[in-house]
Amino acid sequence: MSARVLVARLDSDGDVLLAGPAIRAAATGGHVTLLCGPSGYQAAELLPGVTEIVEWACPWIVPDPPPVDPAEVRDLVEFLAAQRFDVALILTSFHQSSLPLALLLRLAGVPRIVAASTDYPGSLLDTRLRQEDDIPEAQRALQVAEAAGFALPDGDDGLLRVKAPPKYEGPDRYVVLHPGASVPARAWAPNRCAETVVALAEAGHHVVVTGSPAESELTALVAGDHGVDLGGRTTLAELAGVLAGAEAVVVGNTGPAHLAAAVGTPVVSLFSPVVPASRWAPYGVPVRLLGDQWADCRGTRARECPIPGHPCLNSISPDAVVAAVDELQAVTA
């Protein structure tokens, strides 16, 4: 009999994309409802295996969280109870607790709850995983699905994946530079990004610059006269199409890095070590990791760079990016 499976991943697009292999495994067991946050909804729409999406701004997960509203919590519990789920998988990062949501799911009568937890879960979890800290996030999520008894179908390589995106009608060969990031500590300086667009163009590359509507001024500055500015002109699905056609993507540790991995495109990762690359670097594609991974900001999870001058990223030169792009082209040719 087909099960009703709830999968929860309550943060951003990149986190939801990294849950993709776990969701595909869960879908082998039946109907999958994905509970996600507002900033993860676009990615949720792209994932194979998702039957239904439920959006909820979780006050202990989302950035700039709303106040805890007892009425909203009651509404969520009543909704979950009415769905009569057979099992719930709570997917969290190493620094997040699965237990608050487990409590709500228990109140909703979910009979089996599976999650990772460092803290003692009491009766909140039926299957509790103690996971290694330094495994990639996609593997971490897949372990939760496997502990619930769900395995990837035969022939599934366990890599990131999205539904087929629309094709970008651009140059035959091009490199994407995505200058924005979800938090300032993970963003390369705009002037360095602009210099790199020039350097890539002078090295013979067509350059496409991407970004959200809120980043349109940034992308216009970075594209300048040497790049094509797509800032604010694509949905996430359309962005996937742009990234899919690229020879390489130059991007920080932010959602589009994982989207590039999900469409199989090599990544030059401008990676700030405020979180570990072992967990968060683009998964399953050729990667060239740039940035000082032993900088003093290492492991701080800072949203604003705590070190004057942002040296972990601003020590990267445009020439180093061009060299990394060329290396990836040679590896994948």
Side-chain angles (χ1 to χ4, degrees), residues 128-278:
R128 171 199 186 189
L129 284 77
R130 296 179 176 87
Q131 295 177 313
E132 298 177 21
D133 284 344
D134 285 329
I135 61 173
E137 287 290 304
Q139 292 181 16
R140 179 182 174 89
L142 184 57
Q143 286 181 354
V144 175
E146 290 171 342
F150 302 117
L152 288 167
D154 292 342
D156 191 319
D157 55 17
L159 300 181
L160 306 190
R161 190 180 303 163
V162 291
K163 298 171 186 175
K167 180 176 169 48
Y168 169 56
E169 302 297 338
D172 290 337
R173 302 180 66 181
Y174 58 93
V175 172
V176 169
L177 191 149
H178 187 92
S182 53
V183 297
R186 302 179 193 177
W188 205 23
N191 64 307
R192 285 298 179 93
C193 294
E195 291 165 2
T196 299
V197 170
V198 174
L200 286 166
E202 290 179 345
H205 299 284
H206 292 289
V207 186
V208 174
V209 179
T210 58
S212 69
E215 296 166 337
S216 57
E217 289 187 13
L218 170 64
T219 60
L221 171 68
V222 169
D225 296 327
H226 290 80
V228 176
D229 178 16
L230 292 185
R233 301 176 191 180
T234 62
T235 64
L236 195 66
E238 290 166 340
L239 176 59
V242 175
L243 301 179
E247 295 182 286
V249 177
V250 181
V251 61
N253 177 24
T254 192
H258 304 302
L259 188 59
V263 295
T265 301
V267 177
V268 177
S269 178
L270 310 174
F271 201 96
S272 167
V274 292
V275 296
S278 57

Side-chain angles (χ1 to χ4, degrees), residues 47-163:
L47 290 182
V50 175
T51 306
E52 180 183 14
I53 305 169
V54 176
E55 180 183 325
W56 183 54
C58 177
W60 59 87
I61 295 288
V62 299
D64 302 317
V68 176
D69 183 335
E72 286 188 3
V73 172
R74 283 194 298 271
D75 288 345
L76 178 67
V77 170
E78 290 174 3
F79 169 80
L80 295 173
Q83 301 306 301
R84 298 186 178 276
F85 292 109
D86 298 295
V87 59
L89 315 182
I90 304 175
L91 306 182
T92 52
S93 299
F94 71 100
H95 60 275
Q96 296 170 339
S97 174
S98 59
L99 299 186
L101 182 58
L103 174 60
L104 299 188
L105 294 173
R106 199 56 95 199
L107 293 173
V110 177
R112 187 170 178 225
I113 304 171
V114 182
S117 180
T118 300
D119 298 320
Y120 170 63
S123 60
L124 297 182
L125 299 179
D126 297 286
T127 303
R128 171 199 186 189
L129 284 77
R130 296 179 176 87
Q131 295 177 313
E132 298 177 21
D133 284 344
D134 285 329
I135 61 173
E137 287 290 304
Q139 292 181 16
R140 179 182 174 89
L142 184 57
Q143 286 181 354
V144 175
E146 290 171 342
F150 302 117
L152 288 167
D154 292 342
D156 191 319
D157 55 17
L159 300 181
L160 306 190
R161 190 180 303 163
V162 291
K163 298 171 186 175

